[in-house]
Amino acid sequence: MFKTRIHIDICSIEIINDPALPWLVMIHGFGGTRHMWNKQVDRFKGRFNIMVVELPGHGDAEDGVAEYPQVDFTEIGKHLLNHFKKKQIQKAHFLCVSLGSLVMAALIQLRPEIVESVLLCGAIFGMEPVNRCILHFGNAIKPLLPYMSLIRLLAMILMPRRSHKISRKFLVQECKKLGRQEFQKWYELLCLELNRLRDNIALFARTRTLVIMGREDYMFFTPSQKTLAGYPAIHSLVMEHCGHVCSLQKWREFNVIAGEFFENHRLPDKDVLDQLQTTVTTAQASQTI
C-alpha cells in the first residue's frame, strides 16, 4: 500500500449490518466530528455498512497534523487508504462535506478504483478573489487573535444569516475541541490546497458524482457553478434558502436527495423536493406558533 512520511491518527466508527452490503464512508469538514453525520447515519444504517471517519486531530483521533510542517492532503489521503485496507474496504460510496471534499479529491487522485460514487456537500472549488483575500488575511493574523474569536468570526463570515444559526453554532462548538494548534494547521492546509478539488474535478467526471450546494453559500457557491458548468457529466443540485452545510441546515431534504442518489442511482423529482420543502416549512412555522 502507500508509504507515509508522518504519523497521524485516523479514527472511525463502523456500523456493520451485513458484510454483503456496500460501504458508505462519511468524511466531515473543518473542525467537524462524527456527530455532524447523526441524521445521515440514522437514515442509512440499515441499508449500508457505514464508516464515519474522524480526520487527524478531530473528535477521538488522538494524533493530529500540527507537528508536521510538510503534511498535505495527499499524505492524509494515504493514511485514509491504509485505514480502509485494515478494515478490508475495497470499494465504497463517499459522502463528504466542505473541507472533506478536498480530502476526497486527494483520495480519488490516489486510488480512483475505490470510489463507487460520491456526494459532495458544500464542496470547495476555490474562492472568488475577494473571499480568497479574506481567507489568507485570516491565516496571516491567526497567531495574533484569540483562538475562539477567530473561529466565531469565520463562522459568521461563512454562515451569516439567522437561518444558518444551527450550522454556525455546531462549527464553533466542534472547533473548540480541535485546539488552537490543530485549528491553525488545518486553516493553513485549507489556504494551501484551496483549489485541489477544482484541479482534480475531471477525475470525478469519470465516476457517479453529485454536488449539492446551498444558494446562500456566499463563499463557495459561485466558484462551484463556474467549475461545474464545464462538466455536464457531474450532477449538481442547488438547495434554496440554504447556506454552506446543507446536511445540517436542511437535513430532511438532504437525506431524501442522498437516499435517492445512493440507493436508487437517481435524483428525486423536483415535485418531490418542492412538496418536502413545503411540509418542512409548515412544520417549522407551527412550532414557532
Side-chain angles (χ1 to χ4, degrees), residues 40-88:
Q40 286 70 47
V41 169
D42 287 344
R43 169 65 178 79
F44 290 110
K45 65 184 177 183
R47 299 168 173 86
F48 292 85
N49 296 318
I50 295 174
M51 172 182 281
V52 185
V53 170
E54 289 188 319
L55 296 170
H58 294 70
D60 292 330
E62 296 179 359
D63 299 326
V65 296
E67 61 187 280
Y68 299 103
Q70 303 305 316
V71 73
D72 58 12
F73 284 127
T74 297
E75 198 69 33
I76 292 166
K78 289 178 182 178
H79 279 272
L80 263 172
L81 289 172
N82 284 330
H83 188 71
F84 295 158
K85 184 180 180 182
K86 290 176 185 176
K87 303 294 181 178
Q88 299 182 328

mmCIF file of all heavy atoms in Angstrom, residues 40-88:
data_model
loop_
_atom_site.group_PDB
_atom_site.id
_atom_site.type_symbol
_atom_site.label_atom_id
_atom_site.label_comp_id
_atom_site.label_asym_id
_atom_site.label_seq_id
_atom_site.Cartn_x
_atom_site.Cartn_y
_atom_site.Cartn_z
ATOM 1 N N GLN A 40 -27.687 11.522 9.072
ATOM 2 C CA GLN A 40 -27.415 10.672 7.912
ATOM 3 C C GLN A 40 -27.162 9.223 8.331
ATOM 4 O O GLN A 40 -27.562 8.293 7.625
ATOM 5 C CB GLN A 40 -26.225 11.220 7.122
ATOM 6 C CG GLN A 40 -26.531 12.466 6.314
ATOM 7 C CD GLN A 40 -26.768 13.706 7.157
ATOM 8 O OE1 GLN A 40 -25.995 13.989 8.068
ATOM 9 N NE2 GLN A 40 -27.822 14.460 6.873
ATOM 10 N N VAL A 41 -26.511 9.029 9.470
ATOM 11 C CA VAL A 41 -26.304 7.666 9.981
ATOM 12 C C VAL A 41 -27.651 7.009 10.262
ATOM 13 O O VAL A 41 -27.888 5.850 9.895
ATOM 14 C CB VAL A 41 -25.421 7.672 11.250
ATOM 15 C CG1 VAL A 41 -25.432 6.306 11.930
ATOM 16 C CG2 VAL A 41 -23.985 8.053 10.894
ATOM 17 N N ASP A 42 -28.563 7.742 10.887
ATOM 18 C CA ASP A 42 -29.902 7.211 11.152
ATOM 19 C C ASP A 42 -30.611 6.822 9.861
ATOM 20 O O ASP A 42 -31.352 5.828 9.814
ATOM 21 C CB ASP A 42 -30.749 8.251 11.899
ATOM 22 C CG ASP A 42 -30.321 8.424 13.347
ATOM 23 O OD1 ASP A 42 -29.595 7.547 13.868
ATOM 24 O OD2 ASP A 42 -30.699 9.451 13.963
ATOM 25 N N ARG A 43 -30.386 7.605 8.820
ATOM 26 C CA ARG A 43 -31.057 7.348 7.528
ATOM 27 C C ARG A 43 -30.505 6.113 6.818
ATOM 28 O O ARG A 43 -31.265 5.345 6.208
ATOM 29 C CB ARG A 43 -30.894 8.593 6.636
ATOM 30 C CG ARG A 43 -31.308 8.415 5.169
ATOM 31 C CD ARG A 43 -32.797 8.148 5.040
ATOM 32 N NE ARG A 43 -33.200 8.023 3.647
ATOM 33 C CZ ARG A 43 -33.029 6.942 2.894
ATOM 34 N NH1 ARG A 43 -32.451 5.853 3.406
ATOM 35 N NH2 ARG A 43 -33.451 6.913 1.631
ATOM 36 N N PHE A 44 -29.189 5.879 6.903
ATOM 37 C CA PHE A 44 -28.563 4.859 6.054
ATOM 38 C C PHE A 44 -28.088 3.604 6.787
ATOM 39 O O PHE A 44 -27.664 2.648 6.145
ATOM 40 C CB PHE A 44 -27.359 5.471 5.322
ATOM 41 C CG PHE A 44 -27.736 6.469 4.275
ATOM 42 C CD1 PHE A 44 -27.470 7.822 4.445
ATOM 43 C CD2 PHE A 44 -28.372 6.070 3.106
ATOM 44 C CE1 PHE A 44 -27.824 8.750 3.478
ATOM 45 C CE2 PHE A 44 -28.727 6.992 2.129
ATOM 46 C CZ PHE A 44 -28.455 8.337 2.311
ATOM 47 N N LYS A 45 -28.177 3.566 8.104
ATOM 48 C CA LYS A 45 -27.525 2.471 8.840
ATOM 49 C C LYS A 45 -28.139 1.099 8.568
ATOM 50 O O LYS A 45 -27.461 0.090 8.761
ATOM 51 C CB LYS A 45 -27.532 2.774 10.337
ATOM 52 C CG LYS A 45 -28.902 2.836 10.995
ATOM 53 C CD LYS A 45 -28.768 3.236 12.454
ATOM 54 C CE LYS A 45 -30.135 3.371 13.127
ATOM 55 N NZ LYS A 45 -29.993 3.837 14.529
ATOM 56 N N GLY A 46 -29.360 1.030 8.111
ATOM 57 C CA GLY A 46 -29.940 -0.266 7.791
ATOM 58 C C GLY A 46 -29.714 -0.698 6.359
ATOM 59 O O GLY A 46 -30.050 -1.832 5.992
ATOM 60 N N ARG A 47 -29.147 0.192 5.551
ATOM 61 C CA ARG A 47 -29.033 -0.079 4.117
ATOM 62 C C ARG A 47 -27.594 -0.208 3.627
ATOM 63 O O ARG A 47 -27.353 -0.690 2.530
ATOM 64 C CB ARG A 47 -29.738 1.046 3.344
ATOM 65 C CG ARG A 47 -31.222 1.174 3.658
ATOM 66 C CD ARG A 47 -31.809 2.458 3.117
ATOM 67 N NE ARG A 47 -33.248 2.526 3.268
ATOM 68 C CZ ARG A 47 -33.856 2.958 4.356
ATOM 69 N NH1 ARG A 47 -33.135 3.361 5.410
ATOM 70 N NH2 ARG A 47 -35.175 2.991 4.443
ATOM 71 N N PHE A 48 -26.651 0.280 4.435
ATOM 72 C CA PHE A 48 -25.233 0.221 4.088
ATOM 73 C C PHE A 48 -24.439 -0.201 5.322
ATOM 74 O O PHE A 48 -24.900 -0.052 6.454
ATOM 75 C CB PHE A 48 -24.715 1.606 3.647
ATOM 76 C CG PHE A 48 -25.280 2.103 2.347
ATOM 77 C CD1 PHE A 48 -26.495 2.774 2.311
ATOM 78 C CD2 PHE A 48 -24.596 1.903 1.164
ATOM 79 C CE1 PHE A 48 -27.018 3.246 1.124
ATOM 80 C CE2 PHE A 48 -25.106 2.372 -0.036
ATOM 81 C CZ PHE A 48 -26.323 3.044 -0.061
ATOM 82 N N ASN A 49 -23.243 -0.700 5.088
ATOM 83 C CA ASN A 49 -22.237 -0.713 6.144
ATOM 84 C C ASN A 49 -21.631 0.684 6.163
ATOM 85 O O ASN A 49 -21.209 1.189 5.123
ATOM 86 C CB ASN A 49 -21.162 -1.759 5.866
ATOM 87 C CG ASN A 49 -21.716 -3.168 5.881
ATOM 88 O OD1 ASN A 49 -22.526 -3.510 6.736
ATOM 89 N ND2 ASN A 49 -21.295 -3.991 4.937
ATOM 90 N N ILE A 50 -21.591 1.306 7.318
ATOM 91 C CA ILE A 50 -21.209 2.715 7.401
ATOM 92 C C ILE A 50 -19.875 2.878 8.118
ATOM 93 O O ILE A 50 -19.640 2.244 9.155
ATOM 94 C CB ILE A 50 -22.293 3.533 8.138
ATOM 95 C CG1 ILE A 50 -23.586 3.533 7.316
ATOM 96 C CG2 ILE A 50 -21.833 4.960 8.396
ATOM 97 C CD1 ILE A 50 -24.756 4.196 8.008
ATOM 98 N N MET A 51 -19.027 3.718 7.568
ATOM 99 C CA MET A 51 -17.814 4.157 8.251
ATOM 100 C C MET A 51 -17.867 5.674 8.371
ATOM 101 O O MET A 51 -17.927 6.379 7.361
ATOM 102 C CB MET A 51 -16.539 3.753 7.517
ATOM 103 C CG MET A 51 -15.281 4.376 8.133
ATOM 104 S SD MET A 51 -13.740 3.991 7.279
ATOM 105 C CE MET A 51 -13.435 2.351 7.914
ATOM 106 N N VAL A 52 -17.861 6.174 9.599
ATOM 107 C CA VAL A 52 -17.823 7.612 9.847
ATOM 108 C C VAL A 52 -16.404 7.969 10.267
ATOM 109 O O VAL A 52 -15.956 7.600 11.353
ATOM 110 C CB VAL A 52 -18.836 8.028 10.940
ATOM 111 C CG1 VAL A 52 -18.857 9.540 11.075
ATOM 112 C CG2 VAL A 52 -20.224 7.503 10.609
ATOM 113 N N VAL A 53 -15.701 8.660 9.396
ATOM 114 C CA VAL A 53 -14.291 8.985 9.607
ATOM 115 C C VAL A 53 -14.147 10.235 10.469
ATOM 116 O O VAL A 53 -14.925 11.187 10.328
ATOM 117 C CB VAL A 53 -13.591 9.213 8.246
ATOM 118 C CG1 VAL A 53 -12.190 9.784 8.437
ATOM 119 C CG2 VAL A 53 -13.541 7.915 7.453
ATOM 120 N N GLU A 54 -13.163 10.229 11.358
ATOM 121 C CA GLU A 54 -12.733 11.440 12.042
ATOM 122 C C GLU A 54 -11.280 11.706 11.647
ATOM 123 O O GLU A 54 -10.397 10.869 11.871
ATOM 124 C CB GLU A 54 -12.890 11.306 13.555
ATOM 125 C CG GLU A 54 -14.352 11.319 13.966
ATOM 126 C CD GLU A 54 -14.560 11.373 15.470
ATOM 127 O OE1 GLU A 54 -13.838 10.683 16.203
ATOM 128 O OE2 GLU A 54 -15.456 12.112 15.903
ATOM 129 N N LEU A 55 -11.053 12.836 11.022
ATOM 130 C CA LEU A 55 -9.747 13.187 10.492
ATOM 131 C C LEU A 55 -8.747 13.474 11.617
ATOM 132 O O LEU A 55 -9.148 13.689 12.766
ATOM 133 C CB LEU A 55 -9.881 14.404 9.568
ATOM 134 C CG LEU A 55 -10.717 14.181 8.303
ATOM 135 C CD1 LEU A 55 -10.977 15.498 7.590
ATOM 136 C CD2 LEU A 55 -10.027 13.190 7.362
ATOM 137 N N PRO A 56 -7.453 13.476 11.321
ATOM 138 C CA PRO A 56 -6.429 13.706 12.348
ATOM 139 C C PRO A 56 -6.712 14.951 13.186
ATOM 140 O O PRO A 56 -7.047 16.010 12.651
ATOM 141 C CB PRO A 56 -5.144 13.877 11.532
ATOM 142 C CG PRO A 56 -5.390 13.113 10.287
ATOM 143 C CD PRO A 56 -6.851 13.252 9.996
ATOM 144 N N GLY A 57 -6.612 14.800 14.501
ATOM 145 C CA GLY A 57 -6.813 15.917 15.407
ATOM 146 C C GLY A 57 -8.260 16.228 15.716
ATOM 147 O O GLY A 57 -8.549 17.031 16.596
ATOM 148 N N HIS A 58 -9.193 15.606 15.005
ATOM 149 C CA HIS A 58 -10.614 15.854 15.186
ATOM 150 C C HIS A 58 -11.245 14.745 16.030
ATOM 151 O O HIS A 58 -10.827 13.585 15.966
ATOM 152 C CB HIS A 58 -11.343 15.913 13.839
ATOM 153 C CG HIS A 58 -10.962 17.064 12.977
ATOM 154 N ND1 HIS A 58 -9.725 17.173 12.371
ATOM 155 C CD2 HIS A 58 -11.666 18.178 12.601
ATOM 156 C CE1 HIS A 58 -9.692 18.299 11.658
ATOM 157 N NE2 HIS A 58 -10.847 18.916 11.782
ATOM 158 N N GLY A 59 -12.270 15.101 16.792
ATOM 159 C CA GLY A 59 -13.023 14.091 17.529
ATOM 160 C C GLY A 59 -12.147 13.247 18.433
ATOM 161 O O GLY A 59 -11.401 13.755 19.267
ATOM 162 N N ASP A 60 -12.213 11.922 18.237
ATOM 163 C CA ASP A 60 -11.448 10.980 19.062
ATOM 164 C C ASP A 60 -10.110 10.588 18.447
ATOM 165 O O ASP A 60 -9.410 9.728 18.992
ATOM 166 C CB ASP A 60 -12.275 9.714 19.311
ATOM 167 C CG ASP A 60 -13.487 9.979 20.194
ATOM 168 O OD1 ASP A 60 -13.401 10.890 21.049
ATOM 169 O OD2 ASP A 60 -14.514 9.299 20.026
ATOM 170 N N ALA A 61 -9.761 11.187 17.306
ATOM 171 C CA ALA A 61 -8.445 10.904 16.701
ATOM 172 C C ALA A 61 -7.362 11.589 17.534
ATOM 173 O O ALA A 61 -7.356 12.809 17.671
ATOM 174 C CB ALA A 61 -8.412 11.404 15.257
ATOM 175 N N GLU A 62 -6.474 10.802 18.104
ATOM 176 C CA GLU A 62 -5.518 11.347 19.079
ATOM 177 C C GLU A 62 -4.388 12.137 18.431
ATOM 178 O O GLU A 62 -4.012 13.202 18.901
ATOM 179 C CB GLU A 62 -4.949 10.210 19.926
ATOM 180 C CG GLU A 62 -6.007 9.507 20.783
ATOM 181 C CD GLU A 62 -5.425 8.377 21.605
ATOM 182 O OE1 GLU A 62 -4.195 8.132 21.487
ATOM 183 O OE2 GLU A 62 -6.189 7.742 22.355
ATOM 184 N N ASP A 63 -3.807 11.599 17.351
ATOM 185 C CA ASP A 63 -2.668 12.264 16.706
ATOM 186 C C ASP A 63 -3.153 13.219 15.637
ATOM 187 O O ASP A 63 -3.975 12.860 14.795
ATOM 188 C CB ASP A 63 -1.726 11.226 16.076
ATOM 189 C CG ASP A 63 -1.155 10.269 17.109
ATOM 190 O OD1 ASP A 63 -0.928 10.720 18.242
ATOM 191 O OD2 ASP A 63 -0.952 9.093 16.779
ATOM 192 N N GLY A 64 -2.630 14.443 15.668
ATOM 193 C CA GLY A 64 -3.036 15.453 14.704
ATOM 194 C C GLY A 64 -1.959 15.761 13.694
ATOM 195 O O GLY A 64 -0.989 15.015 13.519
ATOM 196 N N VAL A 65 -2.115 16.890 13.015
ATOM 197 C CA VAL A 65 -1.188 17.296 11.953
ATOM 198 C C VAL A 65 -0.337 18.497 12.353
ATOM 199 O O VAL A 65 0.549 18.898 11.595
ATOM 200 C CB VAL A 65 -1.966 17.634 10.651
ATOM 201 C CG1 VAL A 65 -2.677 16.412 10.119
ATOM 202 C CG2 VAL A 65 -2.968 18.768 10.892
ATOM 203 N N ALA A 66 -0.581 19.063 13.532
ATOM 204 C CA ALA A 66 0.061 20.326 13.901
ATOM 205 C C ALA A 66 1.579 20.253 13.923
ATOM 206 O O ALA A 66 2.261 21.227 13.613
ATOM 207 C CB ALA A 66 -0.453 20.792 15.275
ATOM 208 N N GLU A 67 2.135 19.097 14.272
ATOM 209 C CA GLU A 67 3.594 18.992 14.415
ATOM 210 C C GLU A 67 4.308 18.624 13.118
ATOM 211 O O GLU A 67 5.511 18.412 13.117
ATOM 212 C CB GLU A 67 3.938 17.957 15.491
ATOM 213 C CG GLU A 67 3.435 16.557 15.191
ATOM 214 C CD GLU A 67 3.662 15.614 16.360
ATOM 215 O OE1 GLU A 67 4.805 15.129 16.509
ATOM 216 O OE2 GLU A 67 2.697 15.376 17.118
ATOM 217 N N TYR A 68 3.565 18.560 12.007
ATOM 218 C CA TYR A 68 4.175 18.154 10.730
ATOM 219 C C TYR A 68 4.091 19.297 9.719
ATOM 220 O O TYR A 68 3.063 19.483 9.060
ATOM 221 C CB TYR A 68 3.481 16.912 10.179
ATOM 222 C CG TYR A 68 3.580 15.723 11.100
ATOM 223 C CD1 TYR A 68 2.502 15.341 11.886
ATOM 224 C CD2 TYR A 68 4.767 15.004 11.196
ATOM 225 C CE1 TYR A 68 2.587 14.260 12.740
ATOM 226 C CE2 TYR A 68 4.864 13.919 12.051
ATOM 227 C CZ TYR A 68 3.775 13.553 12.823
ATOM 228 O OH TYR A 68 3.874 12.477 13.674
ATOM 229 N N PRO A 69 5.158 20.051 9.545
ATOM 230 C CA PRO A 69 5.132 21.207 8.628
ATOM 231 C C PRO A 69 4.841 20.829 7.180
ATOM 232 O O PRO A 69 4.260 21.616 6.445
ATOM 233 C CB PRO A 69 6.542 21.801 8.770
ATOM 234 C CG PRO A 69 7.046 21.293 10.084
ATOM 235 C CD PRO A 69 6.436 19.954 10.263
ATOM 236 N N GLN A 70 5.250 19.619 6.764
ATOM 237 C CA GLN A 70 5.139 19.246 5.357
ATOM 238 C C GLN A 70 3.876 18.460 5.025
ATOM 239 O O GLN A 70 3.716 18.009 3.895
ATOM 240 C CB GLN A 70 6.364 18.409 4.952
ATOM 241 C CG GLN A 70 7.699 19.087 5.175
ATOM 242 C CD GLN A 70 7.793 20.439 4.479
ATOM 243 O OE1 GLN A 70 7.390 20.566 3.319
ATOM 244 N NE2 GLN A 70 8.309 21.439 5.172
ATOM 245 N N VAL A 71 2.987 18.261 5.985
ATOM 246 C CA VAL A 71 1.791 17.460 5.722
ATOM 247 C C VAL A 71 0.899 18.148 4.693
ATOM 248 O O VAL A 71 0.851 19.380 4.616
ATOM 249 C CB VAL A 71 1.014 17.204 7.039
ATOM 250 C CG1 VAL A 71 0.318 18.472 7.515
ATOM 251 C CG2 VAL A 71 -0.010 16.090 6.858
ATOM 252 N N ASP A 72 0.233 17.344 3.869
ATOM 253 C CA ASP A 72 -0.727 17.868 2.896
ATOM 254 C C ASP A 72 -1.876 16.874 2.769
ATOM 255 O O ASP A 72 -1.897 15.829 3.428
ATOM 256 C CB ASP A 72 -0.067 18.149 1.549
ATOM 257 C CG ASP A 72 0.597 16.908 0.945
ATOM 258 O OD1 ASP A 72 0.353 15.785 1.447
ATOM 259 O OD2 ASP A 72 1.359 17.049 -0.020
ATOM 260 N N PHE A 73 -2.836 17.160 1.915
ATOM 261 C CA PHE A 73 -3.984 16.272 1.778
ATOM 262 C C PHE A 73 -3.621 14.944 1.121
ATOM 263 O O PHE A 73 -4.302 13.934 1.340
ATOM 264 C CB PHE A 73 -5.106 16.963 0.999
ATOM 265 C CG PHE A 73 -5.861 17.970 1.819
ATOM 266 C CD1 PHE A 73 -6.031 19.273 1.382
ATOM 267 C CD2 PHE A 73 -6.407 17.611 3.033
ATOM 268 C CE1 PHE A 73 -6.735 20.197 2.146
ATOM 269 C CE2 PHE A 73 -7.109 18.532 3.807
ATOM 270 C CZ PHE A 73 -7.267 19.828 3.362
ATOM 271 N N THR A 74 -2.588 14.934 0.324
ATOM 272 C CA THR A 74 -2.132 13.665 -0.246
ATOM 273 C C THR A 74 -1.679 12.724 0.859
ATOM 274 O O THR A 74 -2.019 11.533 0.867
ATOM 275 C CB THR A 74 -0.973 13.898 -1.241
ATOM 276 O OG1 THR A 74 -1.450 14.685 -2.329
ATOM 277 C CG2 THR A 74 -0.436 12.579 -1.771
ATOM 278 N N GLU A 75 -0.908 13.245 1.807
ATOM 279 C CA GLU A 75 -0.443 12.435 2.928
ATOM 280 C C GLU A 75 -1.619 11.942 3.773
ATOM 281 O O GLU A 75 -1.664 10.778 4.194
ATOM 282 C CB GLU A 75 0.513 13.263 3.790
ATOM 283 C CG GLU A 75 1.391 12.450 4.717
ATOM 284 C CD GLU A 75 2.436 11.632 3.983
ATOM 285 O OE1 GLU A 75 2.939 12.059 2.938
ATOM 286 O OE2 GLU A 75 2.747 10.532 4.483
ATOM 287 N N ILE A 76 -2.581 12.814 4.015
ATOM 288 C CA ILE A 76 -3.769 12.429 4.777
ATOM 289 C C ILE A 76 -4.564 11.371 4.009
ATOM 290 O O ILE A 76 -5.071 10.403 4.588
ATOM 291 C CB ILE A 76 -4.628 13.665 5.075
ATOM 292 C CG1 ILE A 76 -3.882 14.593 6.053
ATOM 293 C CG2 ILE A 76 -5.988 13.273 5.654
ATOM 294 C CD1 ILE A 76 -4.470 15.976 6.169
ATOM 295 N N GLY A 77 -4.652 11.534 2.686
ATOM 296 C CA GLY A 77 -5.335 10.549 1.851
ATOM 297 C C GLY A 77 -4.678 9.182 1.927
ATOM 298 O O GLY A 77 -5.365 8.149 1.961
ATOM 299 N N LYS A 78 -3.359 9.132 1.979
ATOM 300 C CA LYS A 78 -2.641 7.855 2.102
ATOM 301 C C LYS A 78 -2.981 7.157 3.418
ATOM 302 O O LYS A 78 -3.192 5.940 3.446
ATOM 303 C CB LYS A 78 -1.136 8.089 2.009
ATOM 304 C CG LYS A 78 -0.639 8.477 0.630
ATOM 305 C CD LYS A 78 0.859 8.742 0.645
ATOM 306 C CE LYS A 78 1.374 9.168 -0.715
ATOM 307 N NZ LYS A 78 2.828 9.462 -0.681
ATOM 308 N N HIS A 79 -3.047 7.934 4.486
ATOM 309 C CA HIS A 79 -3.420 7.351 5.777
ATOM 310 C C HIS A 79 -4.849 6.806 5.743
ATOM 311 O O HIS A 79 -5.129 5.737 6.311
ATOM 312 C CB HIS A 79 -3.285 8.397 6.886
ATOM 313 C CG HIS A 79 -1.887 8.577 7.383
ATOM 314 N ND1 HIS A 79 -1.355 7.825 8.404
ATOM 315 C CD2 HIS A 79 -0.894 9.401 6.987
ATOM 316 C CE1 HIS A 79 -0.103 8.189 8.630
ATOM 317 N NE2 HIS A 79 0.197 9.143 7.780
ATOM 318 N N LEU A 80 -5.740 7.530 5.082
ATOM 319 C CA LEU A 80 -7.113 7.056 4.961
ATOM 320 C C LEU A 80 -7.180 5.744 4.179
ATOM 321 O O LEU A 80 -7.887 4.808 4.567
ATOM 322 C CB LEU A 80 -7.961 8.116 4.265
ATOM 323 C CG LEU A 80 -8.773 9.045 5.172
ATOM 324 C CD1 LEU A 80 -9.400 10.155 4.358
ATOM 325 C CD2 LEU A 80 -9.847 8.274 5.932
ATOM 326 N N LEU A 81 -6.448 5.659 3.090
ATOM 327 C CA LEU A 81 -6.457 4.446 2.276
ATOM 328 C C LEU A 81 -5.871 3.263 3.039
ATOM 329 O O LEU A 81 -6.366 2.133 2.929
ATOM 330 C CB LEU A 81 -5.698 4.687 0.968
ATOM 331 C CG LEU A 81 -6.407 5.606 -0.024
ATOM 332 C CD1 LEU A 81 -5.495 5.952 -1.191
ATOM 333 C CD2 LEU A 81 -7.700 4.966 -0.540
ATOM 334 N N ASN A 82 -4.835 3.498 3.824
ATOM 335 C CA ASN A 82 -4.294 2.436 4.665
ATOM 336 C C ASN A 82 -5.319 1.996 5.712
ATOM 337 O O ASN A 82 -5.417 0.815 6.053
ATOM 338 C CB ASN A 82 -3.012 2.906 5.351
ATOM 339 C CG ASN A 82 -1.822 2.920 4.412
ATOM 340 O OD1 ASN A 82 -1.751 2.113 3.477
ATOM 341 N ND2 ASN A 82 -0.894 3.820 4.622
ATOM 342 N N HIS A 83 -6.077 2.970 6.223
ATOM 343 C CA HIS A 83 -7.132 2.671 7.193
ATOM 344 C C HIS A 83 -8.228 1.819 6.537
ATOM 345 O O HIS A 83 -8.711 0.854 7.136
ATOM 346 C CB HIS A 83 -7.717 3.987 7.720
ATOM 347 C CG HIS A 83 -8.664 3.817 8.859
ATOM 348 N ND1 HIS A 83 -8.260 3.448 10.126
ATOM 349 C CD2 HIS A 83 -10.017 3.960 8.930
ATOM 350 C CE1 HIS A 83 -9.310 3.378 10.929
ATOM 351 N NE2 HIS A 83 -10.384 3.694 10.220
ATOM 352 N N PHE A 84 -8.607 2.158 5.313
ATOM 353 C CA PHE A 84 -9.596 1.362 4.585
ATOM 354 C C PHE A 84 -9.094 -0.064 4.373
ATOM 355 O O PHE A 84 -9.870 -1.026 4.471
ATOM 356 C CB PHE A 84 -9.905 1.988 3.218
ATOM 357 C CG PHE A 84 -10.560 3.337 3.286
ATOM 358 C CD1 PHE A 84 -10.480 4.212 2.208
ATOM 359 C CD2 PHE A 84 -11.255 3.746 4.414
ATOM 360 C CE1 PHE A 84 -11.076 5.454 2.254
ATOM 361 C CE2 PHE A 84 -11.857 4.995 4.479
ATOM 362 C CZ PHE A 84 -11.764 5.847 3.399
ATOM 363 N N LYS A 85 -7.813 -0.190 4.081
ATOM 364 C CA LYS A 85 -7.230 -1.525 3.848
ATOM 365 C C LYS A 85 -7.338 -2.379 5.108
ATOM 366 O O LYS A 85 -7.675 -3.571 5.046
ATOM 367 C CB LYS A 85 -5.774 -1.394 3.409
ATOM 368 C CG LYS A 85 -5.132 -2.735 3.057
ATOM 369 C CD LYS A 85 -3.687 -2.562 2.638
ATOM 370 C CE LYS A 85 -3.069 -3.924 2.304
ATOM 371 N NZ LYS A 85 -1.624 -3.781 1.940
ATOM 372 N N LYS A 86 -7.055 -1.772 6.268
ATOM 373 C CA LYS A 86 -7.158 -2.512 7.536
ATOM 374 C C LYS A 86 -8.591 -2.984 7.778
ATOM 375 O O LYS A 86 -8.817 -4.050 8.368
ATOM 376 C CB LYS A 86 -6.712 -1.616 8.694
ATOM 377 C CG LYS A 86 -5.220 -1.319 8.714
ATOM 378 C CD LYS A 86 -4.901 -0.350 9.849
ATOM 379 C CE LYS A 86 -3.440 0.067 9.806
ATOM 380 N NZ LYS A 86 -3.127 1.088 10.850
ATOM 381 N N LYS A 87 -9.552 -2.188 7.337
ATOM 382 C CA LYS A 87 -10.965 -2.534 7.516
ATOM 383 C C LYS A 87 -11.494 -3.378 6.351
ATOM 384 O O LYS A 87 -12.681 -3.682 6.297
ATOM 385 C CB LYS A 87 -11.811 -1.266 7.647
ATOM 386 C CG LYS A 87 -11.382 -0.337 8.777
ATOM 387 C CD LYS A 87 -11.590 -0.965 10.134
ATOM 388 C CE LYS A 87 -11.177 0.005 11.246
ATOM 389 N NZ LYS A 87 -11.425 -0.565 12.589
ATOM 390 N N GLN A 88 -10.613 -3.716 5.416
ATOM 391 C CA GLN A 88 -10.940 -4.566 4.264
ATOM 392 C C GLN A 88 -12.033 -3.942 3.380
ATOM 393 O O GLN A 88 -12.926 -4.617 2.883
ATOM 394 C CB GLN A 88 -11.358 -5.966 4.727
ATOM 395 C CG GLN A 88 -10.261 -6.693 5.491
ATOM 396 C CD GLN A 88 -10.651 -8.097 5.900
ATOM 397 O OE1 GLN A 88 -11.805 -8.387 6.168
ATOM 398 N NE2 GLN A 88 -9.665 -8.985 5.947
#
